[in-house]
């Protein structure tokens, strides 16, 4: 394919309609990509920062489920100068009132094909909005062009125990960049020949020539039995035709990143993995490094003053150890360890918080003990309350307790001591 000067014109489509059932109650009234992460970010900021840092500045964000908070964040944070034709635009699903409202990701693209026709790109990069990682999509696009693939799918090794959550790729025996077989969320996945405990998982990021994508989702729209899903229907159709290729994430190089940092990719699909990904941020040598300014993660969190750690009522200093403390936080005479505090949290004297994630504006009164908890926006914890200490007591008070024993308190949920 011949491109105009400056290389191919690329349109990025970010799939942001996910419901995130397994992240309840954080997704009770926000789409999964709008779930707060790392104190000041929303999950979608990682995908959008990757797209923009890759040099792609025409971006449509396809939304669907409970999109209000997501729309507001994207519109406010990702407003770009339109002077050069750059934009990040949220596009709600077509508001059809028939049963087709909740069809899969391929149908979301089909419903929005007018945006592709308007922009006339050469290449479309389709990415999910639910993961924490850094990736330069232009390196994947370069491979896509070199191989002449119908679709290129980004892939990363994952434990075989998680195979039923991913599209699993088997590479062709002779051409290792070609996909031999693709199974969406298989129950019977085979391990990799050189590592039986792992599979090669699709990251849910795809590159297409624009005309090929248009044809594929149009054909799929009327295909009998299709669930209109990128992983379940579109990719397997290309693989059957021998036109599916894989881009190995380990070949991706990010400026300013260490090897460990650029290999990081987390699907924060469950409360446990959400919490673990936060712990990855606050370990002394962070497993995922937010402090790489060569590949910034962009966000916007409002007009908050600096965080403040002050002397409290019991004559003790406010302290935070191995923790991320966002703007607007006040810790007075309390001790916070291995935790992430989002903007405007206020922690009062004599309280200790360990291994926890507090979202926007959580207020914790004096003398509380909080351990291994995720506390959503605006919760007020009265003084002398324990959370995560006696899990039966947590359940009795209506808090969710996960399989691994994390206590989760929903947005504005009432907390009794
Ligand atoms: P899942 O994440 O389970 O697996 P899906 O539910 O389709 O697949 O979500 C993919 C992305 O599309 C998410 O970012 C979601 O928010 C979004 N989405 C889903 N339906 C949408 C709709 N109708 N409108 C807009 N956005 C929508 C996918 C792949 C697997 C791969 C994993 C990696 O199907 O093959 O392994 O991602 O996590």
């Amino acid at each position: 394919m011949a491109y105009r000067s400056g290389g191919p014109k690329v349109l990025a489509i970010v799939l942001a309609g996910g419901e995130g059932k397994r992240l309840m109650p954080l997704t009770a009234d926000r789409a999964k990509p709008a779930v707060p992460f790392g104190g000041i970010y929303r999950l979608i900021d990682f995908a959008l920062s990757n797209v923009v840092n890759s040099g792609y500045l025409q971006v449509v964000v396809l939304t669907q489920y409970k999109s209000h908070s997501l729309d507001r964040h994207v519109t406010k944070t990702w407003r770009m100068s339109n002077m050069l034709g750059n934009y990040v635009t949220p596009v709600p699903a077509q508001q059809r009132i028939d049963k087709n409202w909740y069809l899969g990701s391929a149908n979301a693209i089909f419903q929005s094909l007018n945006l592709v026709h308007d922009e006339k790109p050469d290449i479309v990069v389709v990415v999910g909005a639910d993961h924490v990682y850094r990736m330069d999509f232009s390196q994947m696009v370069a491979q896509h062009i070199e191989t002449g693939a119908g679709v290129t799918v980004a892939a990363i090794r994952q434990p075989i125990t998680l195979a039923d959550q991913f599209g699993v790729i088997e590479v062709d025996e002779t051409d290792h960049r070609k996909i031999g077989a693709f199974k969406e969320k298989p129950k019977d996945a085979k391990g990799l020949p050189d590592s039986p405990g792992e599979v090669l998982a699709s990251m849910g990021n795809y590159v297409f020539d624009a005309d090929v994508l248009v044809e594929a989702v149009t054909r799929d729209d009327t295909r009998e039995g299709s669930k209109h899903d990128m992983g379940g229907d579109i990719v397997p159709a290309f693989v059957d035709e021998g036109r599916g290729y894989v881009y190995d994430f380990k070949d991706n190089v990010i400026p300013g990143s260490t090897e460990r940092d650029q290999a990081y990719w987390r699907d924060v699909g469950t409360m446990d993995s959400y919490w673990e990904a936060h712990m990855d941020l606050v370990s002394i040598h962070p497993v995922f490094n937010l402090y790489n300014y060569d590949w910034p993660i962009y966000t916007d969190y409002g007009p908050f003053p600096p965080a403040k750690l002050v002397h409290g009522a019991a004559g003790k200093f406010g302290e935070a150890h191995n923790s991320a403390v966002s703007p607007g936080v006040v810790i007075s005479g309390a001790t916070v360890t291995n935790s992430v505090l989002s903007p405007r949290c206020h922690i009062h004297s004599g309280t200790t918080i360990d291994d926890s994630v507090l979202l926007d504006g959580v207020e914790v009164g004096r003398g509380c003990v909080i351990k291994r908890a995720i506390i959503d926006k605006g919760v007020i914890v009265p003084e002398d309350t324990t959370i995560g200490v006696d899990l039966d007591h947590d359940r009795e008070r209506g808090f969710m307790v996960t399989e691994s024993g994390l206590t989760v308190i929903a947005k504005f949920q009432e907390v009794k001591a």
Side-chain angles (χ1 to χ4, degrees), residues 14-20 22 32-33 62-65 93 101-109 111 127-131 153 165-168 182-185 201-206 228-232 265 267:
V14 178
L15 296 169
E19 195 175 337
R22 292 171 304 153
K32 181 172 169 191
L62 303 185
T63 66
Q64 177 179 245
Y65 171 83
W101 167 248
Y102 279 113
L103 289 184
S105 47
N107 178 256
I109 296 175
Q111 287 187 30
V127 306
D130 300 344
H131 303 103
V153 182
Q165 298 179 26
F166 295 121
V168 171
F182 184 99
K183 291 190 190 126
E184 182 69 0
K185 303 179 182 144
S202 159
M203 300 162 71
N205 298 335
Y206 315 99
H228 312 297
D229 182 51
M230 294 301 284
W265 181 81
D267 178 13

CSV table of all heavy atoms in Angstrom, one decimal, residues 14-20 22 32-33 62-65 93 101-109 111 127-131 153 165-168 182-185 201-206 228-232 265 267, ligand 1:
chain,number,residue,atom,x,y,z
A,14,VAL,N,-10.9,3.6,20.5
A,14,VAL,CA,-10.7,3.0,21.9
A,14,VAL,C,-12.0,2.4,22.3
A,14,VAL,O,-13.1,3.1,22.3
A,14,VAL,CB,-10.3,4.1,22.9
A,14,VAL,CG1,-10.1,3.5,24.3
A,14,VAL,CG2,-8.9,4.7,22.4
A,15,LEU,N,-12.0,1.1,22.6
A,15,LEU,CA,-13.3,0.4,23.0
A,15,LEU,C,-13.5,0.6,24.5
A,15,LEU,O,-12.7,0.1,25.3
A,15,LEU,CB,-13.1,-1.1,22.7
A,15,LEU,CG,-13.0,-1.5,21.2
A,15,LEU,CD1,-12.6,-2.9,21.1
A,15,LEU,CD2,-14.3,-1.2,20.5
A,16,ALA,N,-14.4,1.4,24.9
A,16,ALA,CA,-14.6,1.8,26.3
A,16,ALA,C,-16.0,1.5,26.8
A,16,ALA,O,-16.4,2.2,27.7
A,16,ALA,CB,-14.2,3.3,26.4
A,17,GLY,N,-16.6,0.5,26.2
A,17,GLY,CA,-18.0,0.3,26.7
A,17,GLY,C,-18.2,-0.8,27.7
A,17,GLY,O,-19.3,-1.1,28.1
A,18,GLY,N,-17.0,-1.3,28.2
A,18,GLY,CA,-17.1,-2.5,29.1
A,18,GLY,C,-17.8,-2.2,30.4
A,18,GLY,O,-17.7,-1.2,31.0
A,19,GLU,N,-18.5,-3.3,30.8
A,19,GLU,CA,-19.4,-3.2,32.0
A,19,GLU,C,-18.5,-3.4,33.2
A,19,GLU,O,-18.8,-2.8,34.3
A,19,GLU,CB,-20.5,-4.2,31.8
A,19,GLU,CG,-21.6,-4.0,32.8
A,19,GLU,CD,-22.7,-5.0,32.5
A,19,GLU,OE1,-22.8,-5.5,31.3
A,19,GLU,OE2,-23.5,-5.2,33.4
A,20,GLY,N,-17.6,-4.3,33.1
A,20,GLY,CA,-16.7,-4.6,34.3
A,20,GLY,C,-17.4,-5.2,35.5
A,20,GLY,O,-17.3,-4.8,36.6
A,22,ARG,N,-17.0,-7.8,37.2
A,22,ARG,CA,-16.2,-8.4,38.2
A,22,ARG,C,-15.5,-7.3,39.1
A,22,ARG,O,-14.9,-7.6,40.0
A,22,ARG,CB,-15.2,-9.4,37.7
A,22,ARG,CG,-15.8,-10.6,37.1
A,22,ARG,CD,-14.8,-11.5,36.4
A,22,ARG,NE,-14.2,-10.7,35.3
A,22,ARG,CZ,-12.9,-10.9,34.8
A,22,ARG,NH1,-12.2,-11.9,35.3
A,22,ARG,NH2,-12.4,-10.1,33.9
A,32,LYS,N,-16.2,0.5,33.3
A,32,LYS,CA,-14.9,0.0,33.8
A,32,LYS,C,-13.8,1.0,33.4
A,32,LYS,O,-12.9,1.3,34.2
A,32,LYS,CB,-14.7,-1.4,33.3
A,32,LYS,CG,-13.3,-2.0,33.8
A,32,LYS,CD,-13.2,-3.4,33.4
A,32,LYS,CE,-11.8,-3.9,33.6
A,32,LYS,NZ,-11.6,-5.2,33.0
A,33,PRO,N,-13.8,1.5,32.2
A,33,PRO,CA,-12.6,2.4,31.8
A,33,PRO,C,-12.6,3.7,32.6
A,33,PRO,O,-11.6,4.4,32.7
A,33,PRO,CB,-12.9,2.7,30.3
A,33,PRO,CG,-13.7,1.6,29.8
A,33,PRO,CD,-14.6,1.2,31.0
A,62,LEU,N,-15.3,4.8,22.0
A,62,LEU,CA,-16.7,4.2,21.9
A,62,LEU,C,-17.2,3.8,23.3
A,62,LEU,O,-16.6,3.0,23.9
A,62,LEU,CB,-16.7,3.0,20.9
A,62,LEU,CG,-16.2,3.3,19.5
A,62,LEU,CD1,-16.4,2.0,18.7
A,62,LEU,CD2,-16.9,4.5,18.9
A,63,THR,N,-18.2,4.5,23.7
A,63,THR,CA,-18.7,4.3,25.1
A,63,THR,C,-20.1,3.6,25.0
A,63,THR,O,-20.7,3.5,23.9
A,63,THR,CB,-18.9,5.6,25.8
A,63,THR,OG1,-19.9,6.3,25.2
A,63,THR,CG2,-17.6,6.4,25.9
A,64,GLN,N,-20.5,3.1,26.1
A,64,GLN,CA,-21.8,2.4,26.1
A,64,GLN,C,-22.4,2.3,27.5
A,64,GLN,O,-23.2,3.2,27.9
A,64,GLN,CB,-21.6,1.0,25.6
A,64,GLN,CG,-22.9,0.1,25.6
A,64,GLN,CD,-22.6,-1.3,25.0
A,64,GLN,OE1,-23.1,-1.6,24.0
A,64,GLN,NE2,-21.8,-2.0,25.7
A,65,TYR,N,-21.9,1.4,28.3
A,65,TYR,CA,-22.5,1.1,29.6
A,65,TYR,C,-22.2,2.3,30.6
A,65,TYR,O,-21.0,2.8,30.6
A,65,TYR,CB,-21.8,-0.1,30.2
A,65,TYR,CG,-22.1,-0.4,31.6
A,65,TYR,CD1,-23.2,-1.1,32.0
A,65,TYR,CD2,-21.2,-0.1,32.6
A,65,TYR,CE1,-23.5,-1.3,33.3
A,65,TYR,CE2,-21.4,-0.4,33.9
A,65,TYR,CZ,-22.6,-1.0,34.3
A,65,TYR,OH,-22.8,-1.3,35.6
A,93,ALA,N,-22.8,4.7,22.2
A,93,ALA,CA,-23.5,3.7,21.4
A,93,ALA,C,-24.8,4.3,20.8
A,93,ALA,O,-25.4,5.2,21.4
A,93,ALA,CB,-23.8,2.5,22.2
A,101,TRP,N,-29.0,-3.0,21.6
A,101,TRP,CA,-28.2,-2.0,22.3
A,101,TRP,C,-26.9,-2.5,22.9
A,101,TRP,O,-25.9,-1.9,22.9
A,101,TRP,CB,-29.2,-1.5,23.4
A,101,TRP,CG,-28.6,-0.7,24.5
A,101,TRP,CD1,-28.5,-1.0,25.8
A,101,TRP,CD2,-28.1,0.7,24.4
A,101,TRP,NE1,-27.9,0.0,26.5
A,101,TRP,CE2,-27.7,1.0,25.7
A,101,TRP,CE3,-27.9,1.6,23.4
A,101,TRP,CZ2,-27.1,2.3,26.0
A,101,TRP,CZ3,-27.4,2.8,23.6
A,101,TRP,CH2,-27.0,3.1,24.9
A,102,TYR,N,-27.0,-3.8,23.4
A,102,TYR,CA,-25.8,-4.3,24.1
A,102,TYR,C,-25.0,-5.3,23.2
A,102,TYR,O,-24.6,-6.3,23.8
A,102,TYR,CB,-26.2,-4.9,25.4
A,102,TYR,CG,-26.4,-3.9,26.5
A,102,TYR,CD1,-27.6,-3.7,27.0
A,102,TYR,CD2,-25.3,-3.2,26.9
A,102,TYR,CE1,-27.8,-2.7,28.0
A,102,TYR,CE2,-25.4,-2.2,27.9
A,102,TYR,CZ,-26.7,-2.0,28.4
A,102,TYR,OH,-26.8,-1.0,29.4
A,103,LEU,N,-24.9,-5.1,21.9
A,103,LEU,CA,-24.1,-6.1,21.2
A,103,LEU,C,-22.6,-5.9,21.4
A,103,LEU,O,-22.2,-4.9,22.1
A,103,LEU,CB,-24.4,-5.9,19.7
A,103,LEU,CG,-25.8,-6.4,19.3
A,103,LEU,CD1,-25.9,-6.3,17.8
A,103,LEU,CD2,-26.0,-7.9,19.7
A,104,GLY,N,-21.7,-6.8,20.9
A,104,GLY,CA,-20.3,-6.8,21.2
A,104,GLY,C,-19.5,-5.7,20.6
A,104,GLY,O,-20.0,-4.8,19.9
A,105,SER,N,-18.2,-5.8,20.8
A,105,SER,CA,-17.3,-4.7,20.4
A,105,SER,C,-17.2,-4.5,18.9
A,105,SER,O,-17.0,-3.3,18.4
A,105,SER,CB,-15.9,-5.0,21.0
A,105,SER,OG,-15.5,-6.3,20.7
A,106,ALA,N,-17.3,-5.6,18.1
A,106,ALA,CA,-17.3,-5.4,16.6
A,106,ALA,C,-18.5,-4.6,16.2
A,106,ALA,O,-18.5,-3.8,15.2
A,106,ALA,CB,-17.3,-6.7,15.9
A,107,ASN,N,-19.7,-4.8,16.8
A,107,ASN,CA,-20.9,-4.1,16.5
A,107,ASN,C,-20.7,-2.6,16.8
A,107,ASN,O,-21.2,-1.7,16.2
A,107,ASN,CB,-22.1,-4.7,17.2
A,107,ASN,CG,-23.3,-4.0,16.9
A,107,ASN,OD1,-23.8,-3.2,17.7
A,107,ASN,ND2,-23.8,-4.1,15.6
A,108,ALA,N,-20.0,-2.4,18.0
A,108,ALA,CA,-19.8,-1.0,18.3
A,108,ALA,C,-19.0,-0.2,17.2
A,108,ALA,O,-19.3,0.9,16.9
A,108,ALA,CB,-19.0,-0.9,19.6
A,109,ILE,N,-18.0,-0.9,16.6
A,109,ILE,CA,-17.3,-0.3,15.5
A,109,ILE,C,-18.2,-0.2,14.3
A,109,ILE,O,-18.2,0.8,13.6
A,109,ILE,CB,-16.0,-1.1,15.2
A,109,ILE,CG1,-15.1,-1.1,16.4
A,109,ILE,CG2,-15.3,-0.6,14.0
A,109,ILE,CD1,-13.9,-2.0,16.3
A,111,GLN,N,-21.4,0.2,14.2
A,111,GLN,CA,-22.3,1.3,14.4
A,111,GLN,C,-21.6,2.7,14.2
A,111,GLN,O,-22.3,3.7,14.0
A,111,GLN,CB,-22.9,1.3,15.8
A,111,GLN,CG,-23.9,0.2,16.0
A,111,GLN,CD,-24.5,0.3,17.4
A,111,GLN,OE1,-24.7,1.4,18.0
A,111,GLN,NE2,-24.9,-0.8,18.0
A,127,VAL,N,-8.0,-0.3,20.3
A,127,VAL,CA,-7.5,-0.7,21.6
A,127,VAL,C,-8.5,-0.8,22.6
A,127,VAL,O,-9.5,0.0,22.6
A,127,VAL,CB,-6.3,0.2,22.0
A,127,VAL,CG1,-5.2,0.3,21.0
A,127,VAL,CG2,-6.8,1.6,22.4
A,128,GLY,N,-8.4,-1.7,23.6
A,128,GLY,CA,-9.2,-1.7,24.8
A,128,GLY,C,-8.9,-0.6,25.7
A,128,GLY,O,-7.9,0.1,25.6
A,129,ALA,N,-9.7,-0.4,26.7
A,129,ALA,CA,-9.5,0.7,27.7
A,129,ALA,C,-9.4,0.3,29.1
A,129,ALA,O,-9.5,1.1,30.0
A,129,ALA,CB,-10.7,1.7,27.5
A,130,ASP,N,-9.1,-1.0,29.3
A,130,ASP,CA,-9.2,-1.6,30.6
A,130,ASP,C,-7.9,-2.0,31.3
A,130,ASP,O,-7.9,-2.6,32.3
A,130,ASP,CB,-10.1,-2.8,30.6
A,130,ASP,CG,-11.5,-2.6,30.1
A,130,ASP,OD1,-11.9,-1.4,30.0
A,130,ASP,OD2,-12.1,-3.6,29.7
A,131,HIS,N,-6.8,-1.6,30.7
A,131,HIS,CA,-5.5,-2.2,31.1
A,131,HIS,C,-4.5,-1.1,31.5
A,131,HIS,O,-4.5,0.0,31.1
A,131,HIS,CB,-4.9,-3.1,30.0
A,131,HIS,CG,-5.8,-4.1,29.6
A,131,HIS,ND1,-6.5,-4.1,28.4
A,131,HIS,CD2,-6.2,-5.3,30.2
A,131,HIS,CE1,-7.3,-5.1,28.3
A,131,HIS,NE2,-7.1,-5.9,29.4
A,153,VAL,N,-2.7,-8.7,15.9
A,153,VAL,CA,-3.2,-8.8,17.3
A,153,VAL,C,-2.0,-8.7,18.3
A,153,VAL,O,-1.0,-9.5,18.1
A,153,VAL,CB,-3.9,-10.1,17.6
A,153,VAL,CG1,-4.5,-10.2,19.0
A,153,VAL,CG2,-5.0,-10.4,16.5
A,165,GLN,N,-9.9,-16.2,30.4
A,165,GLN,CA,-10.2,-14.8,30.4
A,165,GLN,C,-9.7,-14.1,29.2
A,165,GLN,O,-10.0,-12.9,29.0
A,165,GLN,CB,-9.6,-14.1,31.7
A,165,GLN,CG,-10.1,-14.7,33.0
A,165,GLN,CD,-9.5,-14.0,34.2
A,165,GLN,OE1,-9.1,-12.9,34.1
A,165,GLN,NE2,-9.5,-14.7,35.3
A,166,PHE,N,-9.0,-14.8,28.3
A,166,PHE,CA,-8.3,-14.1,27.2
A,166,PHE,C,-8.6,-14.8,25.9
A,166,PHE,O,-8.9,-16.0,25.9
A,166,PHE,CB,-6.8,-14.1,27.5
A,166,PHE,CG,-6.4,-13.3,28.7
A,166,PHE,CD1,-5.7,-13.9,29.7
A,166,PHE,CD2,-6.7,-11.9,28.7
A,166,PHE,CE1,-5.3,-13.1,30.8
A,166,PHE,CE2,-6.3,-11.2,29.8
A,166,PHE,CZ,-5.6,-11.8,30.9
A,167,GLY,N,-8.3,-14.1,24.8
A,167,GLY,CA,-8.2,-14.8,23.5
A,167,GLY,C,-6.8,-15.4,23.5
A,167,GLY,O,-5.8,-14.8,23.8
A,168,VAL,N,-6.7,-16.7,23.3
A,168,VAL,CA,-5.5,-17.4,23.3
A,168,VAL,C,-5.0,-17.8,21.9
A,168,VAL,O,-5.7,-18.3,21.1
A,168,VAL,CB,-5.6,-18.7,24.2
A,168,VAL,CG1,-4.3,-19.6,24.1
A,168,VAL,CG2,-5.9,-18.3,25.6
A,182,PHE,N,-6.7,-19.3,17.0
A,182,PHE,CA,-7.1,-18.3,18.0
A,182,PHE,C,-8.4,-18.8,18.7
A,182,PHE,O,-9.4,-19.0,18.0
A,182,PHE,CB,-7.3,-17.0,17.3
A,182,PHE,CG,-7.6,-15.8,18.2
A,182,PHE,CD1,-6.7,-14.9,18.6
A,182,PHE,CD2,-8.9,-15.7,18.7
A,182,PHE,CE1,-6.9,-13.9,19.5
A,182,PHE,CE2,-9.2,-14.6,19.6
A,182,PHE,CZ,-8.2,-13.7,20.0
A,183,LYS,N,-8.3,-18.9,20.0
A,183,LYS,CA,-9.6,-19.3,20.7
A,183,LYS,C,-9.9,-18.3,21.7
A,183,LYS,O,-9.1,-17.9,22.6
A,183,LYS,CB,-9.3,-20.7,21.3
A,183,LYS,CG,-9.2,-21.8,20.3
A,183,LYS,CD,-9.2,-23.2,21.0
A,183,LYS,CE,-8.8,-24.2,20.0
A,183,LYS,NZ,-7.7,-25.1,20.4
A,184,GLU,N,-11.1,-17.8,21.7
A,184,GLU,CA,-11.5,-16.8,22.6
A,184,GLU,C,-11.9,-17.5,23.9
A,184,GLU,O,-12.8,-18.3,24.0
A,184,GLU,CB,-12.7,-16.0,22.1
A,184,GLU,CG,-13.2,-14.8,22.9
A,184,GLU,CD,-12.2,-13.6,23.1
A,184,GLU,OE1,-11.2,-13.6,22.5
A,184,GLU,OE2,-12.6,-12.7,23.8
A,185,LYS,N,-11.2,-17.1,25.0
A,185,LYS,CA,-11.5,-17.6,26.4
A,185,LYS,C,-11.7,-19.1,26.4
A,185,LYS,O,-12.8,-19.6,26.9
A,185,LYS,CB,-12.7,-16.9,26.9
A,185,LYS,CG,-12.4,-15.4,26.9
A,185,LYS,CD,-13.5,-14.5,27.4
A,185,LYS,CE,-13.1,-13.1,27.3
A,185,LYS,NZ,-14.2,-12.1,26.9
A,201,ALA,N,-1.5,-14.7,25.2
A,201,ALA,CA,-2.9,-14.1,25.3
A,201,ALA,C,-3.0,-12.8,24.5
A,201,ALA,O,-2.0,-12.0,24.4
A,201,ALA,CB,-3.1,-13.7,26.8
A,202,SER,N,-4.1,-12.7,23.8
A,202,SER,CA,-4.4,-11.4,23.1
A,202,SER,C,-4.6,-10.3,24.2
A,202,SER,O,-5.3,-10.5,25.2
A,202,SER,CB,-5.7,-11.6,22.3
A,202,SER,OG,-6.2,-10.3,22.0
A,203,MET,N,-4.0,-9.1,23.9
A,203,MET,CA,-4.2,-8.0,24.8
A,203,MET,C,-5.4,-7.2,24.4
A,203,MET,O,-5.7,-6.1,25.0
A,203,MET,CB,-2.9,-7.1,24.7
A,203,MET,CG,-1.6,-7.8,25.1
A,203,MET,SD,-0.1,-7.0,24.5
A,203,MET,CE,-0.1,-5.5,25.6
A,204,GLY,N,-6.1,-7.6,23.4
A,204,GLY,CA,-7.3,-6.9,23.0
A,204,GLY,C,-7.0,-5.6,22.2
A,204,GLY,O,-7.8,-4.7,22.1
A,205,ASN,N,-5.8,-5.6,21.6
A,205,ASN,CA,-5.4,-4.4,20.8
A,205,ASN,C,-5.2,-5.0,19.4
A,205,ASN,O,-4.4,-6.0,19.2
A,205,ASN,CB,-4.1,-3.8,21.3
A,205,ASN,CG,-4.2,-3.2,22.7
A,205,ASN,OD1,-5.3,-2.9,23.1
A,205,ASN,ND2,-3.1,-3.1,23.4
A,206,TYR,N,-5.7,-4.3,18.4
A,206,TYR,CA,-5.7,-4.8,17.0
A,206,TYR,C,-5.3,-3.7,16.0
A,206,TYR,O,-5.6,-2.5,16.2
A,206,TYR,CB,-7.1,-5.3,16.6
A,206,TYR,CG,-7.8,-6.1,17.6
A,206,TYR,CD1,-8.7,-5.6,18.5
A,206,TYR,CD2,-7.4,-7.5,17.8
A,206,TYR,CE1,-9.4,-6.3,19.4
A,206,TYR,CE2,-8.1,-8.2,18.8
A,206,TYR,CZ,-9.0,-7.6,19.6
A,206,TYR,OH,-9.7,-8.4,20.6
A,228,HIS,N,-20.8,-10.7,17.3
A,228,HIS,CA,-20.2,-9.4,17.0
A,228,HIS,C,-19.2,-9.0,17.9
A,228,HIS,O,-19.2,-7.8,18.5
A,228,HIS,CB,-21.4,-8.4,16.9
A,228,HIS,CG,-22.5,-8.9,16.0
A,228,HIS,ND1,-22.4,-9.2,14.7
A,228,HIS,CD2,-23.8,-9.2,16.4
A,228,HIS,CE1,-23.5,-9.7,14.2
A,228,HIS,NE2,-24.4,-9.7,15.2
A,229,ASP,N,-18.2,-9.9,18.2
A,229,ASP,CA,-17.2,-9.6,19.2
A,229,ASP,C,-15.8,-9.6,18.4
A,229,ASP,O,-15.6,-10.5,17.6
A,229,ASP,CB,-17.3,-10.8,20.2
A,229,ASP,CG,-16.3,-10.6,21.3
A,229,ASP,OD1,-16.3,-9.5,21.9
A,229,ASP,OD2,-15.6,-11.6,21.6
A,230,MET,N,-15.0,-8.7,18.8
A,230,MET,CA,-13.7,-8.7,18.1
A,230,MET,C,-12.9,-10.0,18.3
A,230,MET,O,-12.4,-10.6,17.3
A,230,MET,CB,-12.8,-7.5,18.6
A,230,MET,CG,-13.4,-6.1,18.3
A,230,MET,SD,-13.6,-5.8,16.5
A,230,MET,CE,-11.9,-5.5,16.0
A,231,GLY,N,-12.8,-10.4,19.6
A,231,GLY,CA,-12.0,-11.6,19.9
A,231,GLY,C,-12.7,-12.8,19.5
A,231,GLY,O,-12.1,-13.8,19.1
A,232,GLY,N,-14.1,-12.9,19.6
A,232,GLY,CA,-14.8,-14.1,19.4
A,232,GLY,C,-15.1,-14.3,17.9
A,232,GLY,O,-15.3,-15.5,17.5
A,265,TRP,N,2.0,-5.4,32.1
A,265,TRP,CA,0.6,-5.3,31.5
A,265,TRP,C,-0.3,-5.9,32.5
A,265,TRP,O,-0.2,-7.1,32.9
A,265,TRP,CB,0.6,-6.0,30.2
A,265,TRP,CG,-0.8,-5.9,29.5
A,265,TRP,CD1,-1.3,-4.9,28.8
A,265,TRP,CD2,-1.8,-6.9,29.4
A,265,TRP,NE1,-2.5,-5.2,28.3
A,265,TRP,CE2,-2.9,-6.4,28.7
A,265,TRP,CE3,-1.9,-8.2,29.9
A,265,TRP,CZ2,-4.0,-7.2,28.4
A,265,TRP,CZ3,-3.0,-9.0,29.7
A,265,TRP,CH2,-4.1,-8.4,28.9
A,267,ASP,N,-4.4,-6.7,33.4
A,267,ASP,CA,-5.8,-6.6,33.2
A,267,ASP,C,-6.4,-6.5,34.6
A,267,ASP,O,-6.5,-7.5,35.3
A,267,ASP,CB,-6.3,-7.9,32.5
A,267,ASP,CG,-7.8,-7.9,32.3
A,267,ASP,OD1,-8.4,-6.8,32.4
A,267,ASP,OD2,-8.3,-9.0,32.0
B,1,LIG,P1,-12.8,-8.9,27.0
B,1,LIG,O1,-12.2,-7.7,27.7
B,1,LIG,O2,-13.6,-9.9,27.8
B,1,LIG,O3,-11.7,-9.7,26.1
B,1,LIG,P2,-14.9,-7.4,25.7
B,1,LIG,O4,-15.8,-7.5,26.8
B,1,LIG,O5,-15.4,-7.4,24.3
B,1,LIG,O6,-13.7,-8.5,25.8
B,1,LIG,O7,-14.1,-6.0,26.0
B,1,LIG,C1,-13.0,-5.6,25.1
B,1,LIG,C2,-12.9,-4.0,25.2
B,1,LIG,O8,-14.1,-3.6,24.5
B,1,LIG,C3,-13.0,-3.5,26.6
B,1,LIG,O9,-12.2,-2.3,26.6
B,1,LIG,C4,-14.5,-3.1,26.7
B,1,LIG,O10,-14.5,-1.9,27.5
B,1,LIG,C5,-14.9,-2.7,25.3
B,1,LIG,N1,-16.3,-3.1,24.8
B,1,LIG,C6,-16.9,-4.2,24.9
B,1,LIG,N2,-18.1,-4.1,24.3
B,1,LIG,C7,-18.2,-2.9,23.8
B,1,LIG,C8,-19.2,-2.1,23.1
B,1,LIG,N3,-20.4,-2.7,22.7
B,1,LIG,N4,-19.0,-0.8,22.8
B,1,LIG,C9,-17.8,-0.3,23.2
B,1,LIG,N5,-16.8,-0.9,23.8
B,1,LIG,C10,-17.0,-2.2,24.2
B,1,LIG,C11,-10.9,-8.9,25.1
B,1,LIG,C12,-10.6,-9.8,24.0
B,1,LIG,C13,-9.7,-11.0,24.4
B,1,LIG,C14,-8.5,-10.4,25.0
B,1,LIG,C15,-8.9,-9.5,26.2
B,1,LIG,C16,-7.7,-8.8,26.9
B,1,LIG,O11,-11.8,-10.3,23.4
B,1,LIG,O12,-9.4,-11.8,23.3
B,1,LIG,O13,-7.6,-11.5,25.5
B,1,LIG,O14,-9.7,-8.5,25.8
B,1,LIG,O15,-8.0,-8.3,28.1
